Amino acid sequence: MNAHVLLVGLLVLAGLSGCSREAAPAAAAAPAEKRYPMTGEVVSADPARKVLIVQHNEVKGLMPAMTMEFAVSEADVAAFKPGQRIRAEMIPSDQGNWRLEHIWPDDKAAEAAVANQAAALRQDTMIRGGKAYREVGEAIPDFALYDQEGRVVTSGRFRGKQVMLNFIFTRCPVATMCPASTAKMVSLQRLAKAAGIPNLELVSISLDPTYDTPAVLKEYAATHGIDTANFSLLTGPEGAIKDLLTQFGIIAEFDGNLLKHTLSTLLIDENGRIRHRADGSAWEPRDFLEKMRK
Ligand SMILES: [Cu+2]
């Protein structure tokens, strides 16, 4: 723990705050661990034992199609229902308790829509080159990501709404960084409701999309008091997230197990233009509330 605090301290000196991933069940702890991509259909879920029974397709180089039991996280056992198609990574175990991680809804049409928009975003970022960063007054880039229910959400859905936007990741253990940011967003959501601000949406995009699957985001929303009626947690392809970070001027990079990142909070107007931006963690919900149209 001392090493962690020291490391964070050094990163603050370097102008970036660090969020270690060591608190999480990191795959890095067992580098030799084999992972096999699989697809299948959920047969049943047992929340008490944290087990999903899945009828899976053939896993190339490992086993033919069959129905078997997998240990999964609490978030995953809560999110996936019988009959749902999934894709995931299958992790064998000598003890027989095989695991599934990185479980996503398996929907080819949704994947294609998200991939197409990610390709367009890639091209847009490249064409803009050194001018990729979107200033206050400029429009936000178009995107298509998944929300905490695994539904595809496009930027077009937010036209006609005021949007509070930030970037976080669920495993961030540094209280003053992502957890504080989320707490302020929740506080703003409540203040805005009480003030009768119309058509407000809040959006947090994950900086760590490989770990932050829709199910993980759904659990995060539940444990952080987020009312998902107008607060979406988004994740998606790593490439799309990287391009969004570039265009929104946020630095986030893994240095081994450490995710170093900056924080920015934005208010976007009904026409999709950036109205206000606060860099760092010292923003106040009331400042943003005052800038919202009533
Ligand atoms: Cu963080």
Side-chain angles (χ1 to χ4, degrees):
M1 205 59 210
N2 280 339
H4 172 222
V5 169
L6 177 64
L7 194 45
V8 169
L10 288 172
L11 286 162
V12 169
L13 283 179
L16 274 182
S17 289
C19 292
S20 159
R21 301 208 299 180
E22 69 199 343
E33 191 173 76
K34 273 247 175 191
R35 289 167 173 262
Y36 297 86
M38 65 88 87
T39 57
E41 186 176 317
V42 177
V43 175
S44 64
D46 183 346
R49 290 172 57 229
K50 286 199 261 179
V51 155
L52 284 181
I53 295 173
V54 179
Q55 184 183 357
H56 68 73
N57 300 322
E58 181 192 353
V59 181
K60 285 254 174 346
L62 189 65
M63 65 173 72
M66 67 174 76
T67 299
M68 57 189 277
E69 199 176 276
F70 294 96
V72 298
S73 70
E74 206 168 331
D76 285 333
V77 81
F80 292 100
K81 303 288 174 247
Q84 197 168 359
R85 299 207 55 83
I86 58 168
R87 60 189 162 91
E89 287 171 13
M90 188 193 274
I91 302 154
S93 146
D94 297 339
Q95 287 82 41
N97 52 334
W98 289 42
R99 300 197 323 275
L100 289 183
E101 286 184 5
H102 303 158
I103 311 178
W104 292 75
D106 187 34
D107 177 339
K108 295 288 173 258
E111 269 174 70
V114 169
N116 286 341
Q117 190 59 58
L121 179 61
R122 182 81 281 271
Q123 198 171 24
D124 180 57
T125 307
M126 278 173 40
I127 288 167
R128 291 173 67 96
K131 293 191 174 69
Y133 175 76
R134 308 266 180 155
E135 310 271 357
V136 170
E138 281 189 84
I140 64 163
D142 286 331
F143 60 78
L145 298 169
Y146 297 93
D147 73 2
Q148 70 281 350
E149 299 290 342
R151 297 172 295 213
V152 175
V153 171
T154 65
S155 43
R157 207 196 84 191
F158 300 109
R159 289 297 137 81
K161 313 258 187 180
Q162 309 189 77
V163 181
M164 283 293 299
L165 173 73
N166 74 351
F167 292 80
I168 54 129
F169 73 110
T170 63
R171 289 193 285 179
C172 181
V174 181
T176 54
M177 293 287 287
C178 304
S181 231
T182 295
K184 285 190 206 183
M185 290 281 272
V186 168
S187 145
L188 183 58
Q189 182 180 34
R190 289 176 188 156
L191 286 171
K193 194 174 180 182
I197 303 285
N199 298 323
L200 176 67
E201 293 278 336
L202 298 99
V203 177
S204 290
I205 300 178
S206 173
L207 295 165
D208 182 17
T210 306
Y211 183 84
D212 286 341
T213 59
V216 170
L217 295 177
K218 186 175 180 173
E219 182 184 55
Y220 184 82
T223 55
H224 287 75
I226 291 171
D227 174 4
T228 52
N230 67 334
F231 195 149
S232 307
L233 293 134
L234 305 184
T235 185
E238 216 168 316
I241 301 282
K242 278 203 173 117
D243 284 322
L244 289 175
L245 294 175
T246 301
Q247 297 215 13
F248 283 109
I250 287 143
I251 301 165
E253 49 193 40
F254 279 109
D255 182 2
N257 272 348
L258 195 73
L259 176 49
K260 297 183 286 182
H261 70 101
T262 58
L263 280 175
S264 296
T265 311
L266 298 104
L267 175 62
I268 294 146
D269 72 15
E270 297 88 337
N271 302 313
R273 296 187 181 281
I274 301 170
R275 180 132 189 244
H276 181 61
R277 169 186 181 114
D279 291 315
S281 54
W283 63 279
E284 286 302 325
R286 288 194 176 278
D287 293 343
F288 275 91
L289 189 68
E290 275 168 25
K291 293 189 163 55
M292 287 174 186
R293 288 188 225 281
K294 305 206 168 132

